[in-house]
Amino acid sequence: MATLQVSTASNAPTVDAARVDELRSFLDEWLLGSGPFDLLTADVVEPATDPDTGDTPPPYLNLYGYASFGPAHRPTVREAARENLNANGDLDDLSDDAREALIDAETEDLVYDYQHEHTEDFLRELAAFLTEPFTVQTAGYEKCRFPLVGYQYSVDLDGEVEHVSLG
């Protein structure tokens, strides 16, 4: 069986320096992508002050990794997991700790089913933290037996999302 080889990278848009901590909290709520080798990494980089000039470059967002970009909002998925387990009666007669552990496990199982469903929501919400447009591209292949997988998402400062298939 062939393994999908995927890479994702973004431009490095500057972010609002006053909202860096808030942006980090926002990013923690999301599973940004998955793949056979790793998850995507999203870092808010705060460059050091240049010792020669005393200037401090603005912080920027860096998103990269060997996985496809397909955000899933963990709290939304967690609520869906809770509803599924409640509907089946799986949460009845469990201690609080056991209930939370079961919900956590179900959330991790479901989160991959929700990939790509929240992409535009993620990008629109992300736009509020940015000082310039954000672009992310994913490209991949599977042993030349299948066509190239490629797409690009962009969001401007007004939250307008554009999706382009590159394949």
Side-chain angles (χ1 to χ4, degrees):
M1 175 119 203
T3 301
L4 180 64
Q5 305 288 316
V6 182
S7 293
T8 296
S10 71
N11 65 335
T14 56
V15 299
D16 183 346
R19 300 187 69 195
V20 167
D21 291 335
E22 188 180 351
L23 175 55
R24 284 189 175 118
S25 294
F26 167 77
L27 292 171
D28 286 343
E29 292 182 1
W30 294 86
L31 172 70
L32 297 175
S34 66
F37 299 107
D38 205 351
L39 300 176
L40 293 181
T41 300
D43 288 329
V44 180
V45 179
E46 295 180 271
T49 301
D50 184 330
D52 297 331
T53 64
D55 293 336
T56 302
Y60 60 92
L61 175 64
N62 196 12
L63 188 142
Y64 59 93
Y66 296 102
S68 63
F69 178 71
H73 189 237
R74 286 185 191 274
T76 301
V77 176
R78 184 175 175 76
E79 187 55 37
R82 181 188 311 274
E83 288 174 10
N84 288 348
L85 292 169
N86 259 341
N88 296 337
D90 295 333
L91 297 179
D92 299 342
D93 303 322
L94 293 177
S95 69
D96 289 343
D97 290 341
R99 182 178 296 113
E100 290 304 310
L102 185 58
I103 292 169
D104 288 345
E106 182 73 8
T107 299
E108 289 306 310
D109 288 345
L110 277 181
V111 78
Y112 298 99
D113 294 342
Y114 279 80
Q115 267 198 293
H116 299 282
E117 288 191 31
H118 304 135
T119 302
E120 290 192 13
D121 294 335
F122 170 79
L123 291 168
R124 280 189 197 99
E125 292 178 38
L126 177 66
F129 299 99
L130 303 176
T131 60
E132 60 188 34
F134 175 73
T135 301
V136 61
Q137 295 179 339
T138 293
Y141 64 91
E142 189 168 3
K143 288 244 186 190
C144 298
R145 292 187 300 176
F146 300 100
L148 176 73
V149 174
Y151 53 92
Q152 172 180 293
Y153 283 96
S154 299
V155 64
D156 64 19
L157 299 180
D158 295 325
E160 293 294 320
V161 176
E162 184 180 323
H163 175 246
V164 177
S165 176
L166 304 173

